[in-house]
Amino acid sequence: MFSARLPEDLHSNPLTRALRRLEAGGISFIDLTVSNPTRVGLCYPKGLFNSLNEASSDYEVHPLGLPTARNAIATYLRGGAVKVAPQQIVLTASTSEAYSLLFKILCNPGDEVLVPQPSYPLFEHLTRLDGIVSVPYRLEYPGLWSIDLDSVASAISSRTRAILIVSPNNPTGSYVTNTEFEELTALAKRYELALIGDEVFRPYPVATAFPPQPSVVDSGAPLAFSLGGISKLLGLPQLKLAWVAVSGIDSVVTETLARLEIAYDTYLSVTTTVQRALGSLLESGHGVHEQIATRIRHNFGVLQRVAAEVPSCRVLPVGGGWSAVIRVPAVVSEERRILDLLENHRVLVHPGYFFEFPEEAFLVCSLIPEPEVFTAGVARLINGLGRVPVT
Ligand SMILES: Cc1ncc(COP(=O)(O)O)c(C=O)c1O
């Protein structure tokens, strides 16, 4: 009766069952997987949402987005050294929707896109839901995460349409370097592939004195897309506004925008209200961005300090983003480890396999919880990691 776009087996896994048991027993735990910025005690300025109330009952339709909103994004991007004209910017309701629309204009059913591994777990669902196939290429860790460029080249087939890159990557925190962009662009040119760069965490470098990192927009690829959004930039996922900046050879960009316009006109999912409010949100929401940026740096410092107490655990370096990765001894499986941490130490972290790390054992934690909560959670985590769970 159903399509193969969703997995056949929808049954819960041991972790969701453990979470349900705790919930049923009214037992609390510290959640170090939280990714919802509206639930971590950030201070949203009074009046931030006023511009939404000012919107009228008028419905203004522009398939690619209102010119004022596209201008506001172009201005913001320029501040981060990304130069694209407002006409090259397209609004979407979310990054997920951006992926879906790009897949629709680039791929036929059964076509392939290359995705990094380890990375954002949603790629499998996003591609399957659009009837296409995600083919992994590897990130390797010889002391710093980098793209295994041979694995990219060997993953390309006659059905490949695009290479996805996430910079900085979730959860490894690694930015794509200039050299990697050069190699990826050479492949994109040779095989006529688009580069799709997920740059939602680009504005979150962990080091303070960090020069802006290269963007896919400047890669020189014949067709490149940079994805961003206020969900991460301003901690406002509830307003559903993201964007795609299109760059490349002029004639290809023009053709792409014409095709995107038809696809977007079919859905028109970004509200007039949020588009009209965007300029003001970008201005008055800057403080929220700063709070998150300060918090991830602070929390990462706490994690490094506390984890240093357990020599067998190693916090991997993070270039940017909202996550940190901890390498732990693979004396028990990641699943056993996270269940032990949850059930016996009352702290929740992600297992590495959730992101398809090449081997065990890695744990991933979010860097955006409130500092007091984060510090308490890390203390539980490190205490738990200091003991080997009974298998
Ligand atoms: C790499 C990456 N891209 C995109 C998203 C989602 O962005 P949005 O809320 O705009 O759909 C996430 C969410 O965690 C993410 O990790």
Side-chain angles (χ1 to χ4, degrees), residues 14-15 18-19 21-22 29-30 32-33 310-314 326-354 359-365 377-391:
L15 176 59
L19 286 167
R21 274 197 303 277
L22 291 184
F29 59 90
I30 296 181
L32 292 186
T33 68
V310 181
S312 57
C313 300
R314 189 164 137 57
I326 308 157
R327 185 166 212 161
V328 298
V331 286
V332 289
S333 72
E334 284 174 355
E335 183 160 89
R336 185 68 220 112
R337 180 75 83 173
I338 55 155
L339 288 172
D340 171 67
L341 287 167
L342 181 63
E343 287 166 338
N344 299 322
H345 303 276
R346 303 278 184 258
V347 60
L348 177 65
V349 289
H350 284 306
Y353 68 76
F354 189 60
E359 59 191 19
E360 298 216 350
F362 294 92
L363 303 178
V364 175
C365 73
V378 165
R380 289 185 190 187
L381 173 67
I382 297 305
N383 181 33
L385 289 175
R387 297 152 203 259
V388 180
V390 182
T391 43

Side-chain angles (χ1 to χ4, degrees), residues 45-364:
K46 239 174 147 208
L48 177 63
F49 299 104
N50 285 356
S51 50
L52 292 164
N53 297 332
E54 284 158 17
S56 71
S57 56
D58 176 46
Y59 174 40
E60 193 178 350
V61 179
H62 282 264
L64 298 181
L66 299 188
T68 49
R70 294 163 81 191
N71 271 325
I73 293 164
T75 307
Y76 154 71
L77 289 175
R78 216 174 305 124
V82 175
K83 290 195 191 73
V84 276
Q87 301 75 9
Q88 292 168 252
I89 291 167
V90 179
L91 303 190
T92 68
S94 66
T95 313
S96 297
E97 188 192 58
Y99 278 119
S100 178
L101 286 156
L102 294 179
F103 295 158
K104 284 176 178 44
I105 66 152
L106 295 170
C107 304
N108 287 314
D111 279 348
E112 298 169 1
V113 294
L114 307 192
V115 301
Q117 208 172 64
S119 191
Y120 187 38
L122 220 60
F123 289 140
E124 174 65 19
H125 289 300
L126 287 169
T127 48
R128 274 178 81 150
L129 283 170
D130 267 302
I132 64 166
V133 181
S134 61
V135 179
Y137 65 87
R138 281 191 305 274
L139 299 192
E140 45 186 14
Y141 183 74
L144 267 185
W145 290 101
S146 59
I147 297 176
D148 174 352
L149 291 156
D150 289 340
S151 79
V152 182
S154 56
I156 296 172
S157 79
S158 60
R159 301 221 59 173
T160 311
R161 296 288 168 263
I163 305 174
L164 272 57
I165 48 198
V166 185
S167 184
N169 187 37
N170 171 13
T172 60
S174 43
Y175 283 90
V176 176
T177 63
N178 277 319
T179 316
E180 289 169 334
F181 268 127
E182 274 166 31
E183 302 274 347
L184 293 169
T185 299
L187 290 172
K189 284 182 177 162
R190 189 170 330 140
Y191 296 101
E192 295 188 17
L193 309 175
L195 292 187
I196 301 179
D198 184 328
E199 300 185 336
V200 297
F201 291 117
R202 189 170 179 273
Y204 289 104
V206 164
T208 35
F210 203 69
Q213 292 298 291
S215 163
V216 70
V217 159
D218 300 315
S219 62
L223 181 59
F225 302 96
S226 165
L227 278 47
I230 64 170
S231 148
K232 303 290 184 280
L233 176 67
L234 304 178
L236 294 172
Q238 72 276 42
L239 298 189
K240 306 306 289 178
L241 189 140
W243 58 81
V244 180
V246 188
S247 72
I249 297 168
D250 286 349
S251 57
V252 181
V253 170
T254 306
E255 163 100 29
T256 302
L257 288 167
R259 287 170 184 274
L260 279 174
E261 183 158 351
I262 295 171
Y264 276 62
D265 202 17
T266 312
Y267 296 97
L268 296 172
S269 47
V270 193
T271 66
T272 307
T273 313
V274 72
Q275 293 187 65
R276 286 192 176 157
L278 182 63
S280 157
L281 289 168
L282 282 167
E283 241 168 65
S284 39
H286 185 69
V288 181
H289 171 80
E290 283 303 309
Q291 285 174 63
I292 303 174
T294 306
R295 183 176 288 186
I296 58 167
R297 288 175 185 139
H298 171 86
N299 283 348
F300 185 61
V302 168
L303 178 63
Q304 282 181 309
R305 275 195 302 283
V306 179
E309 291 164 19
V310 181
S312 57
C313 300
R314 189 164 137 57
V315 177
L316 305 193
V318 173
W322 289 8
S323 303
V325 178
I326 308 157
R327 185 166 212 161
V328 298
V331 286
V332 289
S333 72
E334 284 174 355
E335 183 160 89
R336 185 68 220 112
R337 180 75 83 173
I338 55 155
L339 288 172
D340 171 67
L341 287 167
L342 181 63
E343 287 166 338
N344 299 322
H345 303 276
R346 303 278 184 258
V347 60
L348 177 65
V349 289
H350 284 306
Y353 68 76
F354 189 60
F355 303 87
E356 305 276 2
F357 276 71
E359 59 191 19
E360 298 216 350
F362 294 92
L363 303 178
V364 175

